[in-house]
């Protein structure tokens, strides 16, 4: 019942409008369409926090964190940037740090 209500709400929203926190409901609906899963089937997602670091760029710090997470976690689905920071030496950026929340779908028990 709740899934049907969320789906109807998302369908009523105008062109790309987000529902839920950071569009989480819309994202879950889109992921079901991509996966070809039954929209009545509930999915459970786990969220963890990672910090990626790079001397090159913010984007590289994100990719470092996600590449490492991919080595040990299955079903990675999305990420959200929580914080961006860095380290300065002699007036220049020495390295970038990006804190991410990463969501992945839990497997059936």
């Amino acid at each position: 019942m709740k899934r049907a209500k969320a789906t109807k709400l998302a369908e009523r929203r105008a062109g790309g409008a987000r529902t839920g926190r950071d569009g989480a409901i819309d994202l879950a609906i889109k992921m079901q369409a991509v996966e070809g899963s039954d929209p009545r089937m509930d999915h459970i997602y786990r969220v963890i926090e990672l910090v990626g670091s790079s001397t090159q760029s913010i984007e590289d710090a994100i990719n470092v964190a996600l590449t490492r997470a991919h080595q040990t976690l299955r079903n990675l689905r999305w990420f959200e940037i929580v914080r961006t920071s860095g380290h300065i030496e002699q007036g220049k950026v020495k390295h970038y740090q990006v804190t991410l929340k990463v969501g992945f779908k839990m497997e059936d028990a």
Side-chain angles (χ1 to χ4, degrees), residues 31-43:
M31 292 306 300
Q32 287 174 351
V34 169
E35 295 169 354
S37 62
D38 184 348
R40 295 169 291 170
M41 184 178 203
D42 290 330
H43 297 289

Side-chain angles (χ1 to χ4, degrees), residues 31-102:
M31 292 306 300
Q32 287 174 351
V34 169
E35 295 169 354
S37 62
D38 184 348
R40 295 169 291 170
M41 184 178 203
D42 290 330
H43 297 289
I44 305 299
Y45 294 90
R46 174 103 191 234
V47 178
I48 61 171
E49 199 166 89
L50 304 172
V51 178
S53 180
S54 170
T55 58
Q56 305 301 312
S57 66
I58 291 170
E59 184 177 351
D60 193 47
I62 293 168
N63 286 321
V64 166
L66 295 176
T67 298
R68 176 59 183 88
H70 179 71
Q71 292 174 3
T72 55
L73 299 171
R74 292 187 296 272
N75 304 316
L76 293 174
R77 294 292 187 246
W78 56 267
F79 72 92
E80 171 186 347
I81 298 173
V82 176
R83 180 173 182 251
T84 305
S85 58
H87 179 75
I88 302 170
E89 279 188 17
Q90 298 177 354
K92 295 185 179 182
V93 176
K94 182 66 176 177
H95 71 267
Y96 303 88
Q97 288 183 321
V98 180
T99 304
L100 308 168
K101 285 186 181 179
V102 179

